[in-house]
Amino acid sequence: MELPVHNWRQRVETVHEETFNAIYQELVPEQRIVCTYTLDSGGIRISVSITTIELLKVEGGTKLIFTEQGAFFDGHDTLEMREHGTNVMLDALGQVVEGKAGA
């Protein structure tokens, strides 16, 4: 199976462009997603990460375990900034799963 590559760019406050490039290393339906990715800001590499998302069946639903190991370069990105952004995305995912998105 050929694994997908995911790329996106966005402008942040019209000051600089952020580029996210991910390569999916393993996709196991209903079990696990593993990807590596880089994040560049204004043309400068600010981090490289490996992320594992595990999906476990539990009584009444699914438990999601999100694990990320990152290397943050030259103070352009920090663990706290990444944790905040990840929490925002996971909270949004929770809203979608619970049917509350856009409400």
Side-chain angles (χ1 to χ4, degrees):
M1 171 174 70
E2 186 173 331
L3 299 176
V5 175
H6 179 78
N7 301 294
W8 60 253
R9 292 175 190 235
Q10 69 178 12
R11 298 221 35 100
V12 178
E13 300 173 6
T14 68
V15 175
H16 61 271
E17 183 175 79
E18 288 189 346
T19 305
F20 172 88
N21 294 301
I23 299 173
Y24 293 89
Q25 304 294 338
E26 182 175 55
L27 296 172
V28 180
E30 299 180 21
Q31 291 182 35
R32 179 176 49 253
I33 301 168
V34 179
C35 70
T36 53
Y37 69 91
T38 60
L39 183 59
D40 297 351
S41 180
I44 298 169
R45 172 81 21 100
I46 64 172
S47 67
V48 175
S49 297
I50 180 169
T51 299
T52 303
I53 300 168
E54 298 172 84
L55 303 169
L56 306 174
K57 292 182 182 178
V58 297
E59 186 175 329
T62 302
K63 179 178 181 177
L64 184 147
I65 300 172
F66 185 97
T67 306
E68 180 171 1
Q69 180 180 357
F72 306 105
F73 306 131
D74 302 324
H76 297 289
D77 197 0
T78 65
L79 175 62
E80 295 78 16
M81 291 168 58
R82 184 62 55 86
E83 185 174 12
H84 172 76
T86 299
N87 285 333
V88 168
M89 288 187 295
L90 290 174
D91 288 346
L93 175 61
Q95 293 291 311
V96 170
V97 170
E98 293 174 359
K100 298 177 184 176

